[in-house]
Short mmCIF file of all heavy atoms in Angstrom, two decimals:
data_model
loop_
_atom_site.label_atom_id
_atom_site.label_comp_id
_atom_site.label_asym_id
_atom_site.label_seq_id
_atom_site.Cartn_x
_atom_site.Cartn_y
_atom_site.Cartn_z
N LEU U 253 74.69 82.41 96.94
CA LEU U 253 74.13 81.65 95.80
C LEU U 253 73.79 80.22 96.18
O LEU U 253 73.45 79.40 95.33
CB LEU U 253 75.14 81.66 94.64
CG LEU U 253 75.32 83.01 93.94
CD1 LEU U 253 76.57 82.99 93.06
CD2 LEU U 253 74.09 83.35 93.08
N GLY U 254 73.97 79.89 97.46
CA GLY U 254 73.59 78.55 97.93
C GLY U 254 74.76 77.60 98.08
O GLY U 254 74.57 76.41 98.35
N GLY U 255 75.98 78.10 97.87
CA GLY U 255 77.16 77.22 97.97
C GLY U 255 77.53 76.91 99.40
O GLY U 255 76.99 77.47 100.36
N LYS U 256 78.48 75.98 99.53
CA LYS U 256 78.95 75.52 100.83
C LYS U 256 80.37 76.07 101.00
O LYS U 256 81.24 75.77 100.16
CB LYS U 256 78.95 73.98 100.79
CG LYS U 256 79.17 73.30 102.07
CD LYS U 256 78.83 71.79 101.88
CE LYS U 256 79.28 70.98 103.06
NZ LYS U 256 80.64 70.64 103.16
N VAL U 257 80.62 76.85 102.03
CA VAL U 257 81.92 77.53 102.10
C VAL U 257 82.74 77.15 103.34
O VAL U 257 83.76 77.78 103.62
CB VAL U 257 81.77 79.08 102.01
CG1 VAL U 257 81.14 79.47 100.67
CG2 VAL U 257 80.97 79.65 103.17
N GLY U 258 82.34 76.11 104.05
CA GLY U 258 83.11 75.65 105.20
C GLY U 258 83.34 76.77 106.21
O GLY U 258 82.42 77.52 106.54
N GLN U 259 84.61 76.89 106.65
CA GLN U 259 84.93 77.93 107.65
C GLN U 259 85.42 79.22 107.00
O GLN U 259 85.96 80.09 107.67
CB GLN U 259 86.03 77.44 108.61
CG GLN U 259 85.78 76.14 109.32
CD GLN U 259 84.37 76.03 109.83
OE1 GLN U 259 83.62 75.17 109.40
NE2 GLN U 259 83.98 76.91 110.74
N SER U 260 85.27 79.36 105.68
CA SER U 260 85.78 80.57 105.01
C SER U 260 85.10 81.81 105.56
O SER U 260 83.97 81.73 106.08
CB SER U 260 85.47 80.51 103.51
OG SER U 260 85.89 79.28 102.96
N ILE U 261 85.76 82.95 105.40
CA ILE U 261 85.14 84.23 105.78
C ILE U 261 83.80 84.34 105.07
O ILE U 261 83.72 84.13 103.86
CB ILE U 261 85.99 85.42 105.30
CG1 ILE U 261 87.23 85.58 106.17
CG2 ILE U 261 85.19 86.69 105.29
CD1 ILE U 261 87.95 86.89 105.95
N CYS U 262 82.76 84.64 105.82
CA CYS U 262 81.44 84.74 105.19
C CYS U 262 80.61 85.72 105.99
O CYS U 262 80.63 85.71 107.23
CB CYS U 262 80.79 83.36 105.17
SG CYS U 262 79.20 83.35 104.36
N GLU U 263 79.91 86.63 105.30
CA GLU U 263 79.11 87.64 105.98
C GLU U 263 77.63 87.46 105.58
O GLU U 263 77.18 88.07 104.60
CB GLU U 263 79.57 89.04 105.58
CG GLU U 263 80.99 89.38 105.98
CD GLU U 263 81.45 90.67 105.34
OE1 GLU U 263 81.84 90.65 104.16
OE2 GLU U 263 81.39 91.72 106.00
N PRO U 264 76.89 86.62 106.32
CA PRO U 264 75.49 86.37 105.95
C PRO U 264 74.66 87.66 105.86
O PRO U 264 73.75 87.73 105.03
CB PRO U 264 75.00 85.47 107.08
CG PRO U 264 76.23 84.82 107.63
CD PRO U 264 77.31 85.83 107.48
N ASP U 265 75.02 88.68 106.64
CA ASP U 265 74.23 89.91 106.56
C ASP U 265 74.48 90.66 105.25
O ASP U 265 73.84 91.68 104.98
CB ASP U 265 74.51 90.82 107.78
CG ASP U 265 75.97 91.23 107.88
OD1 ASP U 265 76.83 90.49 107.36
OD2 ASP U 265 76.25 92.30 108.46
N GLN U 266 75.43 90.16 104.44
CA GLN U 266 75.70 90.81 103.15
C GLN U 266 75.17 89.99 101.96
O GLN U 266 75.44 90.32 100.81
CB GLN U 266 77.22 91.02 102.96
CG GLN U 266 77.87 91.89 104.02
CD GLN U 266 77.34 93.31 103.98
OE1 GLN U 266 77.01 93.84 102.92
NE2 GLN U 266 77.20 93.93 105.14
N PHE U 267 74.41 88.92 102.26
CA PHE U 267 73.92 88.06 101.16
C PHE U 267 73.06 88.86 100.17
O PHE U 267 73.23 88.75 98.95
CB PHE U 267 73.10 86.88 101.70
CG PHE U 267 73.94 85.76 102.28
CD1 PHE U 267 73.34 84.67 102.89
CD2 PHE U 267 75.32 85.81 102.23
CE1 PHE U 267 74.09 83.63 103.42
CE2 PHE U 267 76.10 84.78 102.78
CZ PHE U 267 75.48 83.69 103.37
N ASP U 268 72.16 89.67 100.69
CA ASP U 268 71.29 90.45 99.79
C ASP U 268 72.11 91.40 98.93
O ASP U 268 71.86 91.55 97.73
CB ASP U 268 70.26 91.26 100.60
CG ASP U 268 69.18 90.35 101.17
OD1 ASP U 268 69.11 89.19 100.71
OD2 ASP U 268 68.43 90.79 102.07
N THR U 269 73.09 92.03 99.58
CA THR U 269 73.96 92.96 98.85
C THR U 269 74.69 92.22 97.75
O THR U 269 74.78 92.70 96.60
CB THR U 269 75.01 93.57 99.82
OG1 THR U 269 74.31 94.14 100.91
CG2 THR U 269 75.86 94.62 99.15
N ALA U 270 75.22 91.05 98.09
CA ALA U 270 75.97 90.27 97.11
C ALA U 270 75.08 89.90 95.91
O ALA U 270 75.47 90.06 94.75
CB ALA U 270 76.54 89.01 97.76
N LEU U 271 73.86 89.44 96.21
CA LEU U 271 72.95 89.05 95.11
C LEU U 271 72.58 90.27 94.26
O LEU U 271 72.47 90.19 93.04
CB LEU U 271 71.69 88.38 95.69
CG LEU U 271 71.96 87.03 96.38
CD1 LEU U 271 70.68 86.50 97.04
CD2 LEU U 271 72.50 86.00 95.37
N ASN U 272 72.44 91.40 94.93
CA ASN U 272 72.11 92.63 94.22
C ASN U 272 73.26 93.07 93.30
O ASN U 272 73.04 93.53 92.18
CB ASN U 272 71.80 93.73 95.26
CG ASN U 272 71.05 94.85 94.62
OD1 ASN U 272 70.29 94.64 93.67
ND2 ASN U 272 71.30 96.06 95.10
N ILE U 273 74.49 92.88 93.78
CA ILE U 273 75.66 93.22 92.95
C ILE U 273 75.68 92.33 91.71
O ILE U 273 75.91 92.80 90.59
CB ILE U 273 76.96 93.06 93.78
CG1 ILE U 273 77.07 94.21 94.80
CG2 ILE U 273 78.20 93.03 92.88
CD1 ILE U 273 78.17 94.05 95.84
N LEU U 274 75.37 91.05 91.88
CA LEU U 274 75.35 90.14 90.73
C LEU U 274 74.27 90.55 89.73
O LEU U 274 74.48 90.54 88.52
CB LEU U 274 75.10 88.69 91.20
CG LEU U 274 76.21 88.07 92.07
CD1 LEU U 274 75.77 86.74 92.66
CD2 LEU U 274 77.49 87.88 91.24
N LYS U 275 73.13 90.98 90.27
CA LYS U 275 72.02 91.41 89.41
C LYS U 275 72.41 92.69 88.63
O LYS U 275 72.21 92.78 87.42
CB LYS U 275 70.80 91.67 90.31
CG LYS U 275 69.53 91.91 89.56
CD LYS U 275 68.33 91.87 90.50
CE LYS U 275 67.28 92.84 90.02
NZ LYS U 275 66.95 93.91 90.93
N GLN U 276 72.98 93.63 89.38
CA GLN U 276 73.41 94.89 88.74
C GLN U 276 74.40 94.63 87.62
O GLN U 276 74.35 95.26 86.56
CB GLN U 276 74.10 95.79 89.76
CG GLN U 276 73.18 96.69 90.56
CD GLN U 276 74.04 97.58 91.47
OE1 GLN U 276 74.92 98.28 91.05
NE2 GLN U 276 73.76 97.51 92.76
N ALA U 277 75.35 93.71 87.88
CA ALA U 277 76.37 93.42 86.87
C ALA U 277 75.68 92.93 85.59
O ALA U 277 76.03 93.35 84.49
CB ALA U 277 77.34 92.37 87.40
N LYS U 278 74.69 92.06 85.77
CA LYS U 278 73.96 91.53 84.60
C LYS U 278 73.28 92.66 83.84
O LYS U 278 73.40 92.77 82.62
CB LYS U 278 72.91 90.52 85.09
CG LYS U 278 72.98 89.26 84.29
CD LYS U 278 71.95 88.24 84.71
CE LYS U 278 72.60 86.87 84.67
NZ LYS U 278 72.10 85.98 85.67
N GLU U 279 72.59 93.51 84.60
CA GLU U 279 71.85 94.62 83.97
C GLU U 279 72.78 95.57 83.21
O GLU U 279 72.44 96.09 82.16
CB GLU U 279 71.08 95.40 85.03
CG GLU U 279 69.82 94.66 85.51
CD GLU U 279 69.24 95.25 86.80
OE1 GLU U 279 69.72 96.32 87.25
OE2 GLU U 279 68.32 94.63 87.34
N LEU U 280 73.96 95.80 83.78
CA LEU U 280 74.89 96.76 83.17
C LEU U 280 75.79 96.10 82.12
O LEU U 280 76.61 96.77 81.49
CB LEU U 280 75.77 97.40 84.25
CG LEU U 280 75.06 98.35 85.23
CD1 LEU U 280 75.94 98.63 86.44
CD2 LEU U 280 74.71 99.65 84.53
N GLY U 281 75.67 94.79 81.97
CA GLY U 281 76.51 94.09 80.99
C GLY U 281 77.96 93.98 81.44
O GLY U 281 78.88 93.90 80.61
N VAL U 282 78.18 94.01 82.75
CA VAL U 282 79.55 93.88 83.26
C VAL U 282 79.87 92.40 83.45
O VAL U 282 79.07 91.64 83.99
CB VAL U 282 79.69 94.61 84.63
CG1 VAL U 282 81.04 94.31 85.29
CG2 VAL U 282 79.51 96.11 84.44
N ASN U 283 81.04 92.01 82.97
CA ASN U 283 81.49 90.62 83.13
C ASN U 283 82.06 90.46 84.54
O ASN U 283 83.20 90.85 84.79
CB ASN U 283 82.55 90.34 82.05
CG ASN U 283 83.19 88.98 82.22
OD1 ASN U 283 82.55 88.03 82.69
ND2 ASN U 283 84.46 88.88 81.85
N LEU U 284 81.25 89.95 85.46
CA LEU U 284 81.71 89.78 86.84
C LEU U 284 82.33 88.39 87.00
O LEU U 284 81.68 87.39 86.73
CB LEU U 284 80.54 89.99 87.80
CG LEU U 284 80.92 90.19 89.27
CD1 LEU U 284 79.91 91.10 89.96
CD2 LEU U 284 81.02 88.88 90.00
N VAL U 285 83.59 88.37 87.38
CA VAL U 285 84.31 87.09 87.47
C VAL U 285 84.61 86.76 88.92
O VAL U 285 85.30 87.51 89.62
CB VAL U 285 85.65 87.18 86.69
CG1 VAL U 285 86.27 85.79 86.56
CG2 VAL U 285 85.47 87.83 85.33
N LEU U 286 84.05 85.64 89.37
CA LEU U 286 84.34 85.14 90.72
C LEU U 286 85.23 83.91 90.60
O LEU U 286 85.15 83.19 89.61
CB LEU U 286 83.04 84.73 91.42
CG LEU U 286 82.14 85.82 91.97
CD1 LEU U 286 80.78 85.23 92.33
CD2 LEU U 286 82.75 86.50 93.19
N ALA U 287 86.07 83.70 91.61
CA ALA U 287 86.96 82.53 91.56
C ALA U 287 86.13 81.24 91.56
O ALA U 287 85.29 81.05 92.44
CB ALA U 287 87.90 82.54 92.75
N GLU U 288 86.41 80.38 90.57
CA GLU U 288 85.67 79.12 90.47
C GLU U 288 86.19 78.10 91.48
O GLU U 288 85.44 77.31 92.01
CB GLU U 288 85.88 78.59 89.04
CG GLU U 288 84.94 77.53 88.62
CD GLU U 288 85.37 77.00 87.24
OE1 GLU U 288 85.78 77.81 86.40
OE2 GLU U 288 85.28 75.79 87.06
N ASP U 289 87.50 78.14 91.73
CA ASP U 289 88.07 77.19 92.70
C ASP U 289 88.90 77.92 93.75
O ASP U 289 89.24 79.10 93.59
CB ASP U 289 88.88 76.09 92.00
CG ASP U 289 89.99 76.65 91.11
OD1 ASP U 289 90.06 77.89 90.95
OD2 ASP U 289 90.78 75.86 90.58
N ALA U 290 89.22 77.20 94.81
CA ALA U 290 89.90 77.81 95.95
C ALA U 290 90.99 76.88 96.47
O ALA U 290 90.91 75.66 96.30
CB ALA U 290 88.90 78.07 97.07
N VAL U 291 91.98 77.47 97.11
CA VAL U 291 92.92 76.68 97.89
C VAL U 291 92.39 76.75 99.33
O VAL U 291 92.39 77.82 99.93
CB VAL U 291 94.35 77.24 97.81
CG1 VAL U 291 95.28 76.45 98.73
CG2 VAL U 291 94.86 77.20 96.37
N ALA U 292 91.90 75.61 99.80
CA ALA U 292 91.33 75.59 101.15
C ALA U 292 92.35 75.00 102.12
O ALA U 292 93.18 74.17 101.74
CB ALA U 292 90.05 74.76 101.16
N ALA U 293 92.29 75.47 103.36
CA ALA U 293 93.24 75.02 104.38
C ALA U 293 92.48 74.54 105.61
O ALA U 293 91.35 74.97 105.86
CB ALA U 293 94.16 76.18 104.75
N ASP U 294 93.14 73.65 106.38
CA ASP U 294 92.46 73.17 107.59
C ASP U 294 92.83 74.01 108.82
O ASP U 294 92.44 73.68 109.93
CB ASP U 294 92.75 71.67 107.83
CG ASP U 294 94.23 71.38 108.05
OD1 ASP U 294 95.04 72.32 107.92
OD2 ASP U 294 94.56 70.21 108.32
N ALA U 295 93.61 75.08 108.60
CA ALA U 295 93.93 76.03 109.68
C ALA U 295 94.42 77.32 109.05
O ALA U 295 94.89 77.31 107.90
CB ALA U 295 95.03 75.46 110.58
N PHE U 296 94.31 78.42 109.79
CA PHE U 296 94.77 79.72 109.27
C PHE U 296 96.27 79.81 109.56
O PHE U 296 96.72 80.51 110.46
CB PHE U 296 94.01 80.85 109.96
CG PHE U 296 94.21 82.19 109.32
CD1 PHE U 296 93.50 82.56 108.19
CD2 PHE U 296 95.12 83.11 109.85
CE1 PHE U 296 93.68 83.80 107.59
CE2 PHE U 296 95.30 84.35 109.27
CZ PHE U 296 94.59 84.69 108.13
N SER U 297 97.05 79.01 108.81
CA SER U 297 98.47 78.92 109.10
C SER U 297 99.22 78.56 107.82
O SER U 297 98.71 77.83 106.96
CB SER U 297 98.68 77.83 110.16
OG SER U 297 99.97 77.28 110.05
N ASN U 298 100.45 79.06 107.72
CA ASN U 298 101.28 78.78 106.55
C ASN U 298 101.57 77.28 106.43
O ASN U 298 101.81 76.78 105.35
CB ASN U 298 102.59 79.57 106.68
CG ASN U 298 103.30 79.73 105.36
OD1 ASN U 298 102.66 79.87 104.31
ND2 ASN U 298 104.61 79.69 105.38
N ASP U 299 101.56 76.58 107.55
CA ASP U 299 101.87 75.13 107.55
C ASP U 299 100.63 74.25 107.49
O ASP U 299 100.72 73.03 107.67
CB ASP U 299 102.65 74.76 108.83
CG ASP U 299 103.87 75.63 109.00
OD1 ASP U 299 104.53 75.89 107.97
OD2 ASP U 299 104.15 76.08 110.14
#
Side-chain angles (χ1 to χ4, degrees):
L253 289 166
K256 190 168 169 281
V257 298
Q259 305 317 117
S260 310
I261 285 192
C262 182
E263 297 170 279
D265 60 335
Q266 299 297 326
F267 283 176
D268 286 347
T269 306
L271 294 174
N272 198 31
I273 287 170
L274 294 171
K275 189 168 146 241
Q276 272 184 56
K278 228 181 219 147
E279 284 166 7
L280 291 166
V282 171
N283 174 32
L284 194 149
V285 190
L286 283 167
E288 195 186 321
D289 56 354
V291 176
D294 62 355
F296 191 81
S297 154
N298 199 35
D299 306 320

